[in-house]
């Protein structure tokens, strides 16, 4: 499973992985990535585009997720990364 790319407007997210292996991609083009495993912590600052991907097709990924806004679900916006720059041929 995976989360579609999105942005949390005006609030941060803290994630503690309980089980599984998750790849989190972030940045304007989702160009950065980190793999988190059970026992690891990840922090996503406000307004940073990101997506999470369970790296296993058979095992669940579970985490405790905390955000610092009471209406955080109302402040999540889908994010569409810009198209990748294509190489030009001269």
């Amino acid at each position: 499973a995976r989360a579609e790319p999105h942005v949390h407007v005006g609030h941060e997210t803290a994630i503690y992985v309980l089980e599984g292996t998750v790849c989190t991609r972030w940045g304007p083009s989702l160009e950065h990535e980190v793999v988190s495993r059970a026992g690891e912590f990840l922090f996503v600052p406000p307004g940073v585009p990101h997506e999470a991907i369970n790296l296993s097709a058979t095992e669940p990924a579970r985490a405790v997720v905390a955000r610092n806004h009471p209406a955080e679900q109302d402040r999540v916006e889908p994010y569409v990364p810009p198209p990748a720059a294509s190489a030009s041929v001269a």
Side-chain angles (χ1 to χ4, degrees), residues 22-83:
V22 178
C23 176
T24 302
R25 297 174 47 199
W26 79 93
S29 297
L30 303 175
E31 69 273 18
H32 307 288
E33 67 178 49
V34 63
V35 174
S36 303
R37 294 175 176 78
E40 295 182 338
F41 174 83
L42 180 66
F43 175 77
V44 181
V48 173
H50 61 285
E51 69 177 342
I53 305 161
N54 180 352
L55 293 179
S56 174
T58 59
E59 299 297 320
R62 299 178 205 268
V64 175
V65 180
R67 298 187 182 99
N68 65 335
H69 195 284
E72 52 94 9
Q73 287 299 320
D74 297 333
R75 300 175 62 102
V76 176
E77 294 182 358
Y79 182 77
V80 178

